[in-house]
Amino acid sequence: PDFFNSQVLEQIEREQAASVKSKVRRVWFGLPRLAWAGIGSALAAIALMVGLISPEQKKDEQNDYMAEVLKTQTSEPGVKATVDAKKDVTIIKLDGLEKLPPEKDLK
């Protein structure tokens, strides 16, 4: 009986040691740890993206827009074209054109 009891106790100790190892493994790869790892990875990716973009690429694209009026002559002799260039806007005015009927949609 003593041999049998010792064998049973050894088996119980082995099973308890294995369950402790599996609990440690479950805690290591648990959901909170994986969530924090994902958040950390996302923050690192954003920091790299912000750090690697050069200042020239960060400029507003509208500031880089440039328009140049090359010719203001028209094929109609009665039509006069004038150019009004301001800081951010270039306006071309055409004087002497016939008005469009209201049924024509310019869209």
Side-chain angles (χ1 to χ4, degrees), residues 24-106:
V24 169
R25 188 172 293 137
R26 271 188 259 140
V27 170
W28 180 253
F29 292 108
L31 186 60
R33 185 171 296 258
L34 290 175
W36 282 112
I39 291 170
S41 298
L43 289 175
I46 290 170
L48 278 173
M49 184 180 71
V50 169
L52 293 177
I53 294 176
S54 66
E56 291 88 27
Q57 292 175 344
K58 290 181 184 177
K59 285 184 182 176
D60 189 12
E61 290 180 11
Q62 250 185 353
N63 292 339
D64 294 337
Y65 177 75
M66 186 184 92
E68 185 177 348
V69 178
L70 299 175
K71 183 178 175 184
T72 59
Q73 295 176 345
T74 62
S75 60
E76 297 290 326
V79 177
K80 180 182 174 190
T82 57
V83 177
D84 185 15
K86 295 182 181 177
K87 182 180 177 186
D88 293 329
V89 177
T90 301
I91 300 172
I92 301 174
K93 296 178 185 177
L94 300 173
D95 295 325
L97 290 176
E98 295 178 19
K99 290 192 176 196
L100 289 174
E103 49 282 344
K104 288 204 175 182
D105 189 14
L106 295 177

